[in-house]
Amino acid sequence: AGVHYLHGDAHPALLHFAESGGGSRALLVWGSGSSLDKASLGATRAVPSGNASFQVDDAAFGANTRHVERADVVVCHSPPEGMLLGKSGHALGTINALLARVGPKAFICGHMHNSPSTPQQDRVAWLPHGVGMNACVTSTWNSLYGCPIVIDI
């Protein structure tokens, strides 16, 4: 009880949250653990990752998310391409299209491919209908940085 598994193939879930003054508030929430399948060897990767879970290409993510038409909150592992620390060519560009189509009040992701010079750089962005935030708390080499982000929707 109290735990709801978000899965990319599922439709957005209507979740109820208790309010401090009593009662509850309902939000339509959708989420995906997908990440761009681009693991390759190079100067910063000596061995290929053995983790192939949730690895998809842009076309597959776009096709698999067509059913998502509306959500108050969207939660994804990967950031959008070109924002919220989503390095161009290393993030799912179709997340950008999903956000434009769905128009969530809040978008939350938890991964990054850019090491910001300051922990808060590019972690929050205004979207057309709300706010986006990268909530990851470790950097490229898994060192802790950043701080919690709180929003009120």
Side-chain angles (χ1 to χ4, degrees):
V3 175
H4 187 90
Y5 180 74
L6 300 175
H7 189 279
D9 292 339
H11 286 277
L14 188 62
L15 303 181
H16 297 272
F17 299 89
E19 291 188 325
S20 60
S24 68
R25 180 177 183 158
L27 293 171
L28 198 56
V29 181
W30 179 84
S32 170
S34 294
S35 186
L36 183 64
D37 185 10
K38 190 164 174 85
S40 60
L41 302 180
T44 60
R45 184 182 294 267
V47 295
S49 172
N51 179 8
S53 299
F54 302 104
Q55 303 293 300
V56 297
D57 61 27
D58 249 334
F61 184 83
N64 294 338
T65 59
R66 279 191 290 239
H67 67 284
V68 183
E69 297 175 1
R70 187 176 149 277
D72 298 312
V73 178
V74 171
V75 181
C76 289
H77 171 75
S78 180
E81 187 175 59
M83 64 188 305
L84 299 172
L85 302 173
K87 188 174 182 180
S88 195
H90 292 271
L92 290 163
T94 46
I95 289 179
N96 301 60
L98 173 77
L99 294 175
R101 182 179 76 245
V102 173
K105 295 175 186 174
F107 170 74
I108 304 161
C109 60
H111 192 89
M112 54 83 79
H113 287 287
N114 292 330
S115 293
S117 57
T118 61
Q120 305 311 316
Q121 179 183 347
D122 300 324
R123 301 267 316 267
V124 177
W126 290 109
L127 303 174
H129 301 284
V131 64
M133 67 212 71
N134 189 318
C136 69
V137 295
T138 61
S139 67
T140 303
W141 300 108
N142 294 322
S143 57
L144 293 175
Y145 79 96
C147 59
I149 299 170
V150 178
I151 61 167
D152 183 4
I153 54 172

